[in-house]
Amino acid sequence: MNERGLPLAITRPVSRSIARCELTHLTRAPIDFDVACAQHAAYEVALESLGVRIERLPEAPDLPDAVFVEDCAVVFDEVAVICRPGAASRRAEVPAVEAALAARRPLAHITAPGTLDGGDVLVLDREVLVGQSRRTNAEGVTQLRAALTLFGRTVRTVPVTGALHLKSAVTRVGERTLLLNPAWVDPAAFDGWSIIAVDPSEPFAANAVWLEPHVIYAEAFPGIRERLEARGIPVLTVAVSELAKAEGGVTCCSLLLKD
Ligand code: CIR
């Protein structure tokens, strides 16, 4: 989140072609489209319950991964960086997201041969961490750095192993607290942060939406929920079982900004 205006979440409905989504680490499993839509609607309600206004983009029936808007842009106070997703099948998702952001921020673009997925970008105040994943390449990082240097933001790369994106492996859940899967990203990269490490049996448990002070979090991981609450972090749980089969988590279903 950035520091101006009222909180807004850009979302996009679950595509009816989601069964053809990109998959990298998971084996394809049947996705119940109606349940996925209901879960996505409940996720939007959770955001609204925390005072976030929803701007829903039109459905893109032929773009299987369109619900995962996070990968199409990274929004800062000063600029919205329009991504060039690493998966070619996802690049047609970008124009609708760009159109929604054009009136709200100056735009910068990641261009070929650069690739950058928004899911690889974790903003920790002025420092911007970028996962070195299969989806984000060195040229994409160079272009992101060039777009942000002007604004005094620093960009640092972090190796990611075994996860789709950096934010599959680590997300912020408090002023100085991160939720992290040490099998996928090295905690040593986050010096000075208090780390809640997920259990090896729940590798996907490190993805959470932080809407200070609240966290929106998948109901599938009650153990972590208890640990967050024990630290005084209020947690809203949502069911995301169907989108999880498409390798989506809670962060990837919205682009959060202040409007
Ligand atoms: C993909 O592989 O691109 C989609 N099936 C899932 C994208 C999830 N996005 C994210 O975690 N930021």
Side-chain angles (χ1 to χ4, degrees):
M1 296 286 288
N2 53 56
E3 274 85 48
R4 65 183 193 186
L6 296 170
L8 173 76
I10 294 172
T11 66
R12 199 165 197 180
V14 179
S15 163
R16 57 201 69 232
S17 60
I18 191 165
R20 291 188 276 112
C21 67
E22 291 285 335
L23 282 181
T24 306
H25 299 286
L26 296 184
T27 304
R28 201 166 295 279
I31 295 173
D32 186 319
F33 175 68
D34 293 334
V35 174
C37 291
Q39 291 180 342
H40 186 255
Y43 169 83
E44 291 177 328
V45 168
L47 286 166
E48 286 175 323
S49 77
L50 297 177
V52 178
R53 188 168 65 82
I54 304 288
E55 180 166 317
R56 212 173 220 237
L57 300 181
E59 190 199 340
D62 298 325
L63 299 175
D65 284 303
V67 65
F68 303 122
V69 283
E70 172 185 65
D71 294 318
C72 292
V74 189
V75 187
F76 299 88
D77 271 5
E78 309 91 345
V79 63
V81 178
I82 306 302
C83 295
R84 181 168 181 268
S89 71
R90 299 202 54 195
R91 292 185 189 143
E93 296 172 25
V94 173
V97 173
E98 176 173 355
L101 292 170
R104 297 185 159 102
R105 297 287 190 281
L107 302 181
H109 294 83
I110 305 299
T111 57
T115 63
L116 181 80
D117 275 19
D120 273 321
V121 182
L122 177 65
V123 181
L124 297 178
D125 303 325
R126 303 304 292 175
E127 185 171 48
V128 179
L129 293 131
V130 186
Q132 293 171 306
S133 73
R134 294 192 197 186
R135 297 288 177 88
T136 293
N137 67 15
E139 173 62 22
V141 176
T142 299
Q143 292 181 21
L144 178 67
R145 186 175 285 121
L148 296 180
T149 302
L150 180 67
F151 305 113
R153 293 187 183 267
T154 56
V155 171
R156 176 160 65 95
T157 54
V158 184
V160 179
T161 321
L164 181 61
H165 290 124
L166 178 64
K167 277 186 283 192
S168 324
V170 55
T171 50
R172 188 177 191 171
V173 291
E175 191 52 45
R176 296 302 302 167
T177 308
L178 300 174
L179 193 54
L180 181 146
N181 179 342
W184 286 348
V185 69
D186 185 354
F190 303 93
D191 194 29
W193 289 82
S194 172
I195 306 276
I196 302 175
V198 306
D199 191 272
S201 65
E202 294 184 336
F204 295 98
N207 185 258
V209 172
W210 185 51
L211 280 163
E212 192 179 8
H214 297 86
V215 159
I216 297 179
Y217 190 60
E219 68 171 9
F221 312 116
I224 288 288
R225 177 194 178 152
E226 281 171 24
R227 284 166 68 192
L228 292 169
E229 287 172 340
R231 290 182 180 229
I233 299 170
V235 181
L236 259 78
T237 54
V238 287
V240 287
S241 60
E242 298 312 296
L243 296 176
K245 294 176 191 170
E247 292 188 43
V250 285
T251 60
C252 49
C253 295
S254 57
L255 265 172
L256 291 166
L257 58 143
K258 294 263 178 127
D259 193 29

